[in-house]
């Protein structure tokens, strides 16, 4: 096996020398392969380090740490550590001071000693102040409150206490008449700054009645908008984060939808009601909605290879036109320039005697190139069409058969006359026909007597809930732009959908 592909025979007299040379050759190859592995590994390591240096410095420096230097290994014994440093610092050392000490002492004699530093409580308060260079604007306060709410630093009880302290009650100096408007104004300012319009109690999912009325008004407003909205004009509902607060808002809208869903009997109207409720949730939580309306048709981009070939064909046709004009006697400067371009790269001269023959040959050559390029486009297009049809046959057969339909057979043309259609079908179905039943009818009747008829299918709300439960939350929706998440959240719609 080691000498495969060579004319080596084991009976040769110099077989020992051949074996030694083959061993040395294999060792040299192993060394070269090892160098290649180390070179590729080093290049890959440098590439990864450069990528981590741009994206994640922490991961880069963590991989460069040495465990024996960075304390990742076993720690030193405490008694040995204390004895080591005590031997360095506890023993008195007698230094031999040279003449340089007197020079340093004479130079330091003229230096005024620094006054003792006394740190006051005011200095400490100034140092520990949070962001002393940042002015306390409404936006900064709102950002801090939003960070506190999202990072779960405080519990629900502590947040409620802080919320009550942010809107203080009226004191003894203020009158009852002036306190209420002040509290209402402070509450509105706080809600606007924090960008959380509704206060949700996460313990029992309860919402203040005042906020329920706001939610109801938003829901009614959006339902009126969506009922008269076309499907292609509906905005795309964004994917909202799954949190306790959002779930509480969806549960609060459930009983409000009961009145609207029970009053309708149309599936389209049910869909518009659910879509309006989903938009209401997005507006309540402050989610950003994209611009209404979406593209109804996708741009059919021409492939790059076809565009290149079509450009060549257009250029060749332009040259053919210039050559034909020059052959017919047109000697304008633009035509001559086109002829020179057609013969670029050749030893062609306009003063040659066989100029007409050269022009004819060049025109025929360009026409053959155009024909070849046209065949290439048709061949590539046919191959691409076959590939797409094979893909559609495996994934979506409906999209495969739809372009194969013939319009004249599929009702795209003018319909037949109504009187002729009625007369045709009446002649088939209105005339009584006496069938002669053979003996096979009795055999079929006897075989069907033992078949138990199927029970009627009754779809219950539990069936709808189970079907929706298995569906992904944010899978791409259909034309109604309604995700499965909303069918799961608005549980009151299950009974209406089952009905």
């Amino acid at each position: 096996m080691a000498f495969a592909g060579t004319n080596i025979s084991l009976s040769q007299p110099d077989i020992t020398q051949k074996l030694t040379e083959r061993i040395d050759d294999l060792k040299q190859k192993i060394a070269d392969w090892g160098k290649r592995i180390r070179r590729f590994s080093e290049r890959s390591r440098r590439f990864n380090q450069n990528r981590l240096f741009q994206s994640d410095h922490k991961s880069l420096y963590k991989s460069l740490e040495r465990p024996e230097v960075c304390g990742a290994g076993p720690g030193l014994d405490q008694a040995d550590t204390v004895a080591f440093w005590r031997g360095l610092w506890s023993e008195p050392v007698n230094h031999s001071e040279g003449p340089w000490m007197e020079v340093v002492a004479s130079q330091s004699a003229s230096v005024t000693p620094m006054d003792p530093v006394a740190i006051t409580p005011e200095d400490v308060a100034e140092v520990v102040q949070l962001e002393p260079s940042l002015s306390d604007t409404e936006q900064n306060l709102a950002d801090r409150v939003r960070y506190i709410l999202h990072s779960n630093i405080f519990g629900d009880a502590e947040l409620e206490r802080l919320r009550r302290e942010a809107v203080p009650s009226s004191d003894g100096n203020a009158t009852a008449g002036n306190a209420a408007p002040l509290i209402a104004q402070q509450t509105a300012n706080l809600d606007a700054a924090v960008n959380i319009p509704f206060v949700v109690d996460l313990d029992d999912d309860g919402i203040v009645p005042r906020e329920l009325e706001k939610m109801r008004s938003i829901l009614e407003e959006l339902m009126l908008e969506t009922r008269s909205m076309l499907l292609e004009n509906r905005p795309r509902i964004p994917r909202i984060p799954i949190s306790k607060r959002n779930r509480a808002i969806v549960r609060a809208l459930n009983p409000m939808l009961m009145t609207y869903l029970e009053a309708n009997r149309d599936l389209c109207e049910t869909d518009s009601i659910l879509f309006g409720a989903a938009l209401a949730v997005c507006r309540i939580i402050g989610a950003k909605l994209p611009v209404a309306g979406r593209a109804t048709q996708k741009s059919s981009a021409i492939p790059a290879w076809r565009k290149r070939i079509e450009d060549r064909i257009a250029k060749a046709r332009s040259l053919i036109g210039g050559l034909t004009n020059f052959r017919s006697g047109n000697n304008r400067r633009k035509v001559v320039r086109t002829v020179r371009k057609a013969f670029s790269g050749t030893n062609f001269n306009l003063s040659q005697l066989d100029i007409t023959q050269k022009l004819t040959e060049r025109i025929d050559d360009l026409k053959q190139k155009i024909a070849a390029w046209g065949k290439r486009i048709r061949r590539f297009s046919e191959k691409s069409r076959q590939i797409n049809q094979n893909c559609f046959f495996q994934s979506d057969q409906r999209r495969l058969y739809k372009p194969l339909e013939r319009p004249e057979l599929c009702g795209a043309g003018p319909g037949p006359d109504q009187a002729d259609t009625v007369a045709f079908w009446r002649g088939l179905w209105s005339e009584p026909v006496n069938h002669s039943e053979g003996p096979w009818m009795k055999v079929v009747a006897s075989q069907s007597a033992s078949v138990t008829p199927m029970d009627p299918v009754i779809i219950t709300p539990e069936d709808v809930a189970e079907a929706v439960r298995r569906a992904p939350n944010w899978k791409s929706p259909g034309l109604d732009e309604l995700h499965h998440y909303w069918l799961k959240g608005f549980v009151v719609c299950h009974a209406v959908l089952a009905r």
Side-chain angles (χ1 to χ4, degrees), residues 216-273:
R216 188 182 298 275
S217 62
I218 292 177
L219 179 62
E220 293 177 353
E221 177 185 354
L222 290 174
M223 280 187 181
L224 292 176
E225 293 180 3
T226 55
R227 282 183 178 179
S228 58
M229 186 183 299
L230 298 177
L231 288 178
E232 56 269 14
N233 294 333
R234 284 187 178 182
R236 191 176 297 275
I237 300 179
R239 178 175 179 172
I240 65 174
I242 299 177
S243 62
K244 291 184 179 179
R245 174 173 172 269
N246 295 343
R247 284 197 297 265
I249 294 175
V250 172
R251 278 194 289 267
L253 289 179
N254 261 308
M256 302 180 189
L257 295 177
M258 182 66 70
T259 306
Y260 303 98
L261 292 174
E262 290 294 337
N264 76 87
R265 296 287 178 180
D266 187 15
L267 184 60
C268 296
E269 189 174 356
T270 302
D271 177 76
S272 65
I273 292 174

Side-chain angles (χ1 to χ4, degrees), residues 126-430:
E126 183 178 357
V127 171
V128 301
Q129 181 184 4
L130 293 176
E131 298 287 348
S133 61
L134 186 63
S135 59
D136 292 335
T137 61
E138 294 181 359
Q139 184 62 39
N140 293 335
L141 292 176
D143 293 340
R144 294 180 188 178
V145 174
R146 189 181 297 106
Y147 170 75
I148 291 173
L149 292 176
H150 290 178
S151 58
N152 296 327
I153 298 178
F154 303 105
D156 299 334
E158 188 69 17
L159 284 176
E160 187 63 26
R161 185 184 63 80
L162 293 175
R163 206 182 297 275
R164 286 195 300 268
E165 292 179 358
V167 187
S169 59
S170 58
D171 52 7
N173 298 330
T175 61
N178 296 332
L182 179 61
I183 293 175
Q185 182 179 2
Q186 290 177 346
T187 306
N189 294 338
L190 180 63
D191 290 342
V194 181
N195 196 19
I196 298 180
F198 299 101
V199 182
V200 179
D201 188 1
L202 299 181
D203 293 334
D204 55 356
D205 293 341
I207 301 181
V208 186
R210 176 175 60 87
E211 313 300 345
L212 286 174
E213 293 300 326
K214 290 183 179 179
M215 294 168 63
R216 188 182 298 275
S217 62
I218 292 177
L219 179 62
E220 293 177 353
E221 177 185 354
L222 290 174
M223 280 187 181
L224 292 176
E225 293 180 3
T226 55
R227 282 183 178 179
S228 58
M229 186 183 299
L230 298 177
L231 288 178
E232 56 269 14
N233 294 333
R234 284 187 178 182
R236 191 176 297 275
I237 300 179
R239 178 175 179 172
I240 65 174
I242 299 177
S243 62
K244 291 184 179 179
R245 174 173 172 269
N246 295 343
R247 284 197 297 265
I249 294 175
V250 172
R251 278 194 289 267
L253 289 179
N254 261 308
M256 302 180 189
L257 295 177
M258 182 66 70
T259 306
Y260 303 98
L261 292 174
E262 290 294 337
N264 76 87
R265 296 287 178 180
D266 187 15
L267 184 60
C268 296
E269 189 174 356
T270 302
D271 177 76
S272 65
I273 292 174
L274 296 178
F275 187 81
L279 287 181
V281 174
C282 294
R283 180 175 295 185
I284 290 171
I285 66 177
K288 294 182 179 180
L289 294 176
V291 181
R294 58 184 185 272
T296 56
Q297 295 181 354
K298 295 184 180 180
S299 59
S300 57
I302 301 176
W305 60 266
R306 181 166 182 169
K307 189 175 181 181
R308 288 194 298 267
I309 296 177
E310 289 179 351
D311 291 342
R312 296 176 192 171
I313 293 176
K315 184 177 179 181
R317 287 175 176 172
S318 175
L319 294 178
I320 290 174
L323 293 174
T324 305
N325 290 334
F326 185 79
R327 189 175 58 179
S328 61
N330 190 349
N331 297 326
R332 288 187 302 175
R333 182 178 301 177
K334 183 177 180 180
V335 176
V336 174
R337 188 165 56 247
T338 304
V339 173
R340 294 184 184 278
K341 187 185 297 184
F343 286 97
S344 61
T346 62
N347 296 326
F348 176 75
N349 191 1
L350 296 178
S351 60
Q352 293 180 356
L353 298 178
D354 56 346
I355 182 65
T356 305
Q357 181 181 356
K358 294 289 185 182
L359 292 173
T360 305
E361 292 176 356
R362 190 58 178 169
I363 290 173
D364 294 340
D365 187 16
L366 291 175
K367 287 182 179 180
Q368 292 179 5
K369 286 185 177 182
I370 290 175
W373 288 332
K375 289 182 180 180
R376 185 180 301 178
I377 289 177
R378 289 192 294 272
R379 187 172 66 252
F380 287 174
S381 301
E382 181 66 21
K383 186 176 181 180
S384 177
R385 185 178 64 84
Q386 291 175 359
I387 293 175
N388 292 333
Q389 286 182 353
N390 293 336
C391 294
F392 286 150
F393 184 79
Q394 296 179 359
S395 60
D396 191 355
Q397 295 184 4
R398 181 179 180 182
R399 294 181 63 185
L400 169 64
Y401 295 131
K402 189 172 183 179
L404 298 178
E405 293 176 353
R406 299 172 60 184
E408 62 274 7
L409 299 181
C410 298
D417 185 65
Q418 184 177 3
D420 297 340
T421 305
V422 172
F424 173 78
W425 288 108
R426 182 171 293 166
L428 289 178
W429 298 106
S430 299

